[in-house]
Amino acid sequence: MSVKYNFFEFILEETTKGPLNIDKDRCIELINAIAINFVEFPKELEPPSSAVIALSANAGASLPNSLACGLNCISDRHLLLETICDFIEENYQKDLTFEYLNNRIIPGIGHPSIKGIDPRVERLFSEFKDVQGERVGFYLKAESKLNPLRINIGGAMCSLMLDAGLNKDYIQFFPLMGRIFGWCKTYKKIQDNFPKVTPSNLIINESN
């Protein structure tokens, strides 16, 4: 195996089965931006996985054990990227009616804590207009029918990566790479600032 000087280039080659829909270098820029988006969050939007990392770190868990606690938070209710990808691939060529959309929870649209436009979504769609294809178009059309609900970061990431031609089975890898580094930062911060076991509410407030 030849040495790769770009980590994402290596991962892309390992996970791509067929030709991409966009230039490889542009695809690397996309997955790099997605990973960076998931390193840190504003304190008021910090996800449950970060709180779990902080609490386990303060309780004396090792870094690997704390990271395992964070990974256990990834489910069909939190960072449900596999569900979003399946929904897109099953429906993006259909013209879904408002009645159909309005009577279901649509994966990738709406967010429990972010109301209105998510700046991360706005930034990705603005920076990668050239990548947008049928799947992003499908979500934009669904969003217009479900106003005021907005495309969430999962919907934006999945639709862009699928339009780029990335393998659906590996799409969750790229945001998780960024999230794991963010968890490492949280772990180090708690270790540095809270050498003794501290009440949970104080730890959670400082997890970001």
Side-chain angles (χ1 to χ4, degrees), residues 143-167:
E143 180 186 63
S144 70
K145 294 178 180 179
L146 292 172
N147 187 55
L149 293 178
R150 299 288 186 171
I151 298 169
N152 62 38
I153 187 61
M157 291 189 306
C158 290
S159 57
L160 280 168
M161 286 191 282
L162 288 171
D163 273 341
L166 288 169
N167 186 337

Side-chain angles (χ1 to χ4, degrees), residues 21-41:
N21 297 333
I22 61 174
D23 177 75
K24 183 179 74 172
D25 289 341
R26 186 61 171 149
C27 192
I28 291 171
E29 290 175 357
L30 172 64
I31 57 180
N32 180 63
I34 285 169
I36 289 172
N37 258 311
F38 266 72
V39 172
E40 292 181 303
F41 296 80

Side-chain angles (χ1 to χ4, degrees), residues 120-194:
R120 298 171 298 172
V121 172
E122 196 171 42
R123 186 164 56 249
L124 282 176
F125 280 169
S126 175
E127 291 181 5
F128 295 96
K129 289 181 180 179
D130 57 308
V131 178
Q132 296 176 25
E134 288 184 282
R135 294 161 182 85
V136 172
F138 164 74
Y139 259 130
L140 291 172
K141 191 172 182 180
E143 180 186 63
S144 70
K145 294 178 180 179
L146 292 172
N147 187 55
L149 293 178
R150 299 288 186 171
I151 298 169
N152 62 38
I153 187 61
M157 291 189 306
C158 290
S159 57
L160 280 168
M161 286 191 282
L162 288 171
D163 273 341
L166 288 169
N167 186 337
K168 177 173 72 72
D169 296 334
Y170 297 105
I171 276 177
Q172 197 170 42
F173 286 20
F174 302 107
L176 273 179
M177 290 175 193
R179 192 78 284 259
I180 288 172
F181 178 65
W183 290 340
C184 290
K185 291 186 67 176
T186 296
Y187 181 89
K188 183 69 166 59
K189 181 177 182 180
I190 297 301
Q191 291 280 296
D192 289 345
N193 296 334
F194 296 93

